[in-house]
Amino acid sequence: MNSATATIADWRIYPVNSLPVALQRQPDGVEVTWSDARVSLFHHLWLRDNCPCPACVYPVTREQMFEIVDAPDDLSALDAQLDGSGCLAVQWSDGHASLYHPGWLRAHAYDEQSRAEREQQASRPLLWRAEMNQQLAHFDYQEVMTRDDVLLQWLRALRDTGLTQIRNAPTANGSLDGLARRVAFIRESSFGVMFEVQSKVDADSNAYTAFNLPLHTDLPTRELQPGVQFLYCLRNDAEGGDSRFVDGFAVAEELRRLAPDSFDLLTRTPVEFRNKSARNDYRCKAPIIALNEDGSYREIRIANFLRGPFDAPTEVMPALYKAYRLFIQLTREPHLQLNRRLQAGEAWVFDNRRVLHARDAFDPASGERHFQGCYLDRDEWLSRLYVLERQA
Amino acid sequence: MNSATATIADWRIYPVNSLPVALQRQPDGVEVTWSDARVSLFHHLWLRDNCPCPACVYPVTREQMFEIVDAPDDLSALDAQLDGSGCLAVQWSDGHASLYHPGWLRAHAYDEQSRAEREQQASRPLLWRAEMNQQLAHFDYQEVMTRDDVLLQWLRALRDTGLTQIRNAPTANGSLDGLARRVAFIRESSFGVMFEVQSKVDADSNAYTAFNLPLHTDLPTRELQPGVQFLYCLRNDAEGGDSRFVDGFAVAEELRRLAPDSFDLLTRTPVEFRNKSARNDYRCKAPIIALNEDGSYREIRIANFLRGPFDAPTEVMPALYKAYRLFIQLTREPHLQLNRRLQAGEAWVFDNRRVLHARDAFDPASGERHFQGCYLDRDEWLSRLYVLERQA
């Protein structure tokens, strides 16, 4: 069943789980009936657009050379046949010929059933509450560094729950660099490629003080919040400074249940976040709770200490404060929180666009506390995950 | 008039162009009447939230320590007064006292008139067509590198028209690095911090071939397309390879005029872009024309050679191909295009989320062609622009 030999203009693998068994010519396309009785119409323009032959797609890059705008307006199929391996062969009215792999074709079919199936198979976040204190996904540093299957497990945990811990890691200065680059290159910010989370006299962020930091996402002041944050503990001998996490999607879900109007307002109202210093002036206006078009959670954006003044119509302002205060109260609810003290050689790795993190105040005079941090963008760790899945 | 002495929890400067002249206490706030007769209500919670005193805002970072969730539910103002310099002084029912600078207060007033005024004063893109061939904003390398006022002019041109050229630049390998870092740090991608635009045998992108590249934005396969692209010419002795640009917003505007239904479909239909190689697998699904909530243009996302198969309901597919082919046809219209041949020592710097660029095919055997490129994100060059404006 996997003997189909048409070119695939992709690096992913497309297994053949269902074969085309019949073709029906339509005025504007070819209708395929599959072995499981599904029926998919493929329009002529769609098929011509996706011809994988070496004249249409440059084989070295697997990127398209052909442009569908150059097809004639009256393009039609002179002939369409299934070959012995289940590939679809089309002869075009402009003289071109195309051959489509059945696994690829099925994976990209756009009939209602195929689209619904893809939608259903997409990964979804697993929301968590305080029980995460017992269920935290943790991974061994050496295993992550040396085994691709463990790396894949880790990245899937990050995708699904958004909060993971690495243990038994070296405590040499800069060890974080190797761990992060095991996944992808690091996203630089105005705070550097790697940042030192230490109390500084000339702090340009409250993160670089010994104060309590309330639950927040990092860099909500940038259009694209960093996707993953690493917080790597080299030394933690000071009193205080414990870590706190909360699943921002679970907080939003609680708000939706308790006060749907407040939830709705926070999904619709742009809030400006400001990261300002003598040398920088970042401003980003976006809602605190961002939803996808289907109503699922896209991201949470919040840091009280980086928030600019609310700017909303006068009549909306009281409701906005009600909603905001309710949201922040919920982030403080013990039944939603995970609390841990990080030890030297442990690192938090979490989805910064979903999981809020906080640090209790600490006493810099009581001992040394030295964390290093860095960011990777979501595109990068997802790309790594997808490539690992090709081999898995 | 500028003698107001209240703290401002910001690094921007807020000139006093209108003074508060009267206060009216309301049940839920303080109503300010300004010297130009504008009336602004400030709710108690909003005012308390924005108290700039050193207990509420850490003076070193100018970031908030106080959280409005900690204000009592029944918070009210015991007293509100204007001082001699036009500052608003409020005594709170919980014992706290606040003082607000009139320039800051006016800049953040959220009455209908103030909000409309801010909306109107926001910068807007200046759309261009082929006449840009005569009107191209160009800047001298040495002036940009040494004069802050020229740097600010350049960044403003980039913001307004999205297409600029730097001339008289050094042609030593790596000179681009200094030019880019005059603005901000460089955004790394899977193609590196700086990329070499040369024909390569083992190309992982059609950009690294000698082929014609149709008009496109770079990295539409990433959630956040790079904000600014630098294309720096070190040598251009090969036949062919001329540059072409088109204002994507002008193309969209033309489409809106000619075929409103097609325009609408391209703003609503997510299209998947794929950057796939043996080592990477980036996927991003987003509309080709993205609008802001007010209908203004947000960004254009297009690269035919990085587009995945369209995935839309069967009944929508014919209209989607009509819209897509029309859009691409318009990008090819001479009356919308700028065409130039870059000389050694010249660099294009353009808004990659708006301005589409293309390269004609060239003959690598006819002479050397060596361009270097890099990206900066929009957050970075806007921050640089805002900081320069504080001093201007």
Side-chain angles (χ1 to χ4, degrees):
Chain A
M1 232 187 176
N2 279 290
S3 59
T5 52
T7 302
I8 296 180
D10 200 337
W11 298 79
R12 289 196 187 175
I13 292 148
Y14 293 96
V16 179
N17 298 317
S18 187
L19 276 175
V21 291
L23 298 183
Q24 176 83 39
R25 306 284 298 279
Q26 301 288 356
D28 57 348
V30 178
E31 198 176 79
V32 172
T33 302
W34 301 88
S35 48
D36 62 354
R38 186 177 298 179
V39 176
S40 309
L41 175 67
F42 296 97
H43 291 89
H44 292 142
L45 281 175
W46 189 94
L47 285 169
R48 181 68 191 86
D49 188 17
N50 289 295
C51 174
C53 86
C56 289
V57 176
Y58 182 49
V60 176
T61 58
R62 306 194 188 181
E63 290 175 2
Q64 198 177 23
M65 306 285 295
F66 173 70
E67 293 185 80
I68 191 63
V69 67
D70 293 323
D73 285 338
D74 60 354
L75 179 80
S76 66
L78 297 183
D79 190 37
Q81 300 284 343
L82 293 173
D83 76 7
S85 66
C87 291
L88 169 65
V90 180
Q91 181 64 49
W92 298 105
S93 57
D94 65 354
H96 198 76
S98 302
L99 188 67
Y100 305 89
H101 184 279
W104 182 91
L105 201 59
R106 172 77 173 209
H108 295 88
Y110 50 94
D111 59 277
E112 201 176 333
Q113 204 181 344
S114 296
R115 281 169 52 81
E117 189 180 73
R118 279 198 292 278
E119 176 68 26
Q120 213 194 351
Q121 285 167 355
S123 69
R124 280 187 178 65
L126 303 171
L127 273 53
W128 52 263
R129 297 162 163 243
E131 75 278 1
M132 186 55 113
N133 276 298
Q134 285 78 49
Q135 297 165 3
L136 178 65
H138 54 89
F139 299 87
D140 178 76
Y141 173 86
Q142 276 304 331
E143 288 197 347
V144 162
M145 294 300 285
T146 55
R147 288 177 48 186
D148 278 1
D149 60 329
V150 177
L151 177 60
L152 179 57
Q153 276 176 42
W154 172 36
L155 293 177
R156 282 179 168 156
L158 197 55
R159 178 190 62 189
D160 298 337
T161 68
L163 181 61
T164 66
Q165 202 178 64
I166 301 290
R167 295 181 183 168
N168 309 316
T171 55
N173 194 353
S175 298
L176 166 57
D177 191 77
L179 176 63
R181 290 184 197 276
R182 172 81 171 127
V183 183
F185 66 84
I186 296 171
R187 167 167 162 181
E188 188 169 352
S189 78
S190 57
F191 297 109
V193 173
M194 203 174 304
F195 46 89
E196 308 283 333
V197 190
Q198 281 176 309
S199 179
K200 300 172 193 171
V201 175
D202 60 341
D204 57 354
S205 160
N206 282 359
Y208 304 140
T209 66
F211 306 149
N212 149 64
L213 277 185
L215 283 152
H216 67 285
T217 55
D218 265 27
L219 307 198
T221 51
R222 311 306 200 276
E223 191 171 351
L224 184 73
Q225 299 184 102
V228 166
Q229 178 165 177
F230 288 70
L231 273 179
Y232 195 106
C233 179
L234 297 176
R235 210 152 161 195
N236 198 4
D237 302 332
E239 280 167 32
D242 289 9
S243 304
R244 244 166 242 281
F245 291 91
V246 72
D247 182 352
F249 293 169
V251 171
E253 198 58 24
E254 191 101 337
L255 182 67
R256 189 190 323 229
R257 193 176 59 79
L258 292 172
D261 289 352
S262 288
F263 173 85
D264 189 50
L265 195 57
L266 293 190
T267 65
R268 282 187 296 108
T269 310
V271 170
E272 191 172 71
F273 293 91
R274 301 179 171 182
N275 193 175
K276 41 197 164 48
S277 75
R279 293 180 306 118
N280 295 309
D281 195 334
Y282 297 102
R283 314 259 156 162
C284 179
K285 222 167 173 177
I288 289 171
I289 303 171
L291 301 179
N292 296 312
E293 298 213 340
D294 64 357
S296 62
Y297 291 108
R298 185 178 174 81
E299 69 174 337
I300 304 293
R301 186 183 290 265
I302 189 89
N304 189 70
F305 50 100
L306 297 173
R307 186 171 48 84
F310 282 145
D311 183 11
T314 302
E315 64 277 14
V316 172
M317 200 57 82
L320 182 55
Y321 269 104
K322 176 175 174 259
Y324 182 72
R325 295 193 347 141
L326 206 45
F327 184 90
I328 298 291
Q329 264 161 14
L330 287 172
T331 66
R332 294 177 173 187
E333 280 289 330
H335 77 276
L336 293 175
Q337 281 191 4
L338 172 140
N339 299 293
R340 290 277 176 109
R341 184 179 176 79
L342 214 57
Q343 307 299 331
E346 293 179 344
W348 291 114
V349 186
F350 57 95
D351 182 343
N352 178 62
R353 296 167 65 184
R354 167 184 174 186
V355 172
L356 281 54
H357 64 292
R359 174 193 71 203
D360 294 347
F362 64 94
D363 176 6
S366 65
E368 201 194 346
R369 185 183 196 274
H370 187 188
F371 282 48
Q372 293 183 320
C374 71
Y375 305 118
L376 301 189
D377 270 332
R378 183 173 291 177
D379 284 327
E380 303 308 325
W381 64 267
L382 279 179
S383 168
R384 187 76 157 114
L385 190 155
Y386 295 144
V387 172
L388 288 168
E389 280 185 341
R390 286 184 203 159
Q391 302 150 2
Chain B
M1 232 187 174
N2 278 293
S3 58
T5 52
T7 301
I8 296 180
D10 200 337
W11 297 79
R12 289 196 187 175
I13 292 148
Y14 293 96
V16 179
N17 298 318
S18 186
L19 275 175
V21 290
L23 297 183
Q24 178 82 39
R25 305 283 298 279
Q26 301 287 357
D28 58 348
V30 178
E31 197 176 80
V32 172
T33 302
W34 301 89
S35 48
D36 61 355
R38 186 176 300 178
V39 176
S40 309
L41 176 67
F42 296 98
H43 292 89
H44 291 142
L45 280 175
W46 190 94
L47 285 170
R48 182 66 192 86
D49 188 19
N50 289 293
C51 175
C53 85
C56 291
V57 176
Y58 182 49
V60 174
T61 58
R62 305 194 189 181
E63 291 176 0
Q64 198 177 23
M65 306 284 297
F66 173 72
E67 294 185 80
I68 192 61
V69 67
D70 293 323
D73 286 338
D74 62 352
L75 179 80
S76 67
L78 298 182
D79 191 36
Q81 299 285 344
L82 294 172
D83 77 6
S85 65
C87 292
L88 169 64
V90 180
Q91 180 66 47
W92 299 105
S93 57
D94 65 355
H96 197 76
S98 302
L99 189 67
Y100 304 90
H101 183 279
W104 181 91
L105 201 60
R106 172 77 174 208
H108 294 90
Y110 50 92
D111 59 276
E112 203 176 331
Q113 202 181 345
S114 296
R115 281 169 52 82
E117 188 180 73
R118 278 198 293 278
E119 177 67 26
Q120 213 194 352
Q121 285 168 354
S123 70
R124 280 187 178 64
L126 303 171
L127 273 52
W128 54 262
R129 297 164 163 241
E131 75 277 2
M132 185 56 111
N133 276 299
Q134 285 77 50
Q135 297 165 4
L136 177 66
H138 55 90
F139 298 88
D140 179 76
Y141 174 85
Q142 275 305 330
E143 286 196 349
V144 161
M145 294 300 286
T146 55
R147 288 176 49 186
D148 278 0
D149 60 328
V150 177
L151 177 60
L152 179 57
Q153 277 175 43
W154 173 35
L155 293 177
R156 282 179 170 155
L158 197 55
R159 177 190 62 192
D160 298 338
T161 70
L163 180 61
T164 66
Q165 202 179 64
I166 301 290
R167 296 181 182 169
N168 311 315
T171 55
N173 194 353
S175 297
L176 165 57
D177 191 77
L179 176 64
R181 289 183 198 277
R182 172 80 172 128
V183 183
F185 66 86
I186 296 171
R187 167 168 163 181
E188 187 168 353
S189 78
S190 57
F191 297 107
V193 173
M194 204 174 302
F195 45 90
E196 307 283 333
V197 189
Q198 279 177 310
S199 179
K200 299 171 196 172
V201 175
D202 61 342
D204 57 353
S205 161
N206 282 359
Y208 304 140
T209 66
F211 306 148
N212 148 64
L213 277 185
L215 284 152
H216 67 284
T217 55
D218 265 26
L219 305 199
T221 52
R222 312 304 201 275
E223 191 171 351
L224 184 73
Q225 299 185 102
V228 166
Q229 178 165 178
F230 289 70
L231 273 179
Y232 195 106
C233 179
L234 296 177
R235 206 149 165 198
N236 198 4
D237 301 333
E239 279 167 33
D242 289 10
S243 305
R244 245 166 242 282
F245 292 92
V246 71
D247 182 351
F249 293 170
V251 170
E253 197 58 24
E254 191 101 336
L255 181 66
R256 189 190 325 229
R257 192 175 60 78
L258 293 172
D261 289 350
S262 289
F263 173 86
D264 189 49
L265 196 57
L266 293 189
T267 64
R268 284 187 294 107
T269 308
V271 170
E272 191 173 69
F273 293 91
R274 301 179 171 182
N275 193 174
K276 41 197 164 47
S277 75
R279 293 180 306 117
N280 296 308
D281 195 333
Y282 298 101
R283 314 260 156 162
C284 179
K285 222 168 173 177
I288 289 172
I289 304 170
L291 302 179
N292 295 312
E293 299 213 338
D294 65 356
S296 61
Y297 291 108
R298 186 178 174 81
E299 68 175 339
I300 304 294
R301 185 182 292 264
I302 190 89
N304 189 71
F305 51 100
L306 297 172
R307 186 171 49 84
F310 281 145
D311 182 10
T314 300
E315 64 277 15
V316 172
M317 199 57 82
L320 183 54
Y321 270 103
K322 175 174 175 257
Y324 182 72
R325 296 193 345 142
L326 206 44
F327 184 90
I328 298 292
Q329 263 161 13
L330 288 172
T331 65
R332 295 177 172 187
E333 280 288 329
H335 77 277
L336 293 175
Q337 280 191 5
L338 172 139
N339 299 294
R340 289 280 176 107
R341 184 177 176 81
L342 214 56
Q343 307 299 331
E346 293 180 343
W348 291 114
V349 186
F350 57 95
D351 182 342
N352 178 62
R353 296 168 66 183
R354 166 184 174 186
V355 171
L356 282 53
H357 63 293
R359 173 193 71 203
D360 294 347
F362 63 93
D363 176 4
S366 65
E368 201 193 348
R369 185 184 196 272
H370 188 189
F371 282 48
Q372 293 184 319
C374 70
Y375 305 118
L376 302 189
D377 270 331
R378 184 174 289 177
D379 284 327
E380 303 308 324
W381 63 268
L382 279 179
S383 168
R384 187 75 157 115
L385 190 156
Y386 293 144
V387 171
L388 288 168
E389 281 185 340
R390 286 183 203 158
Q391 300 150 3

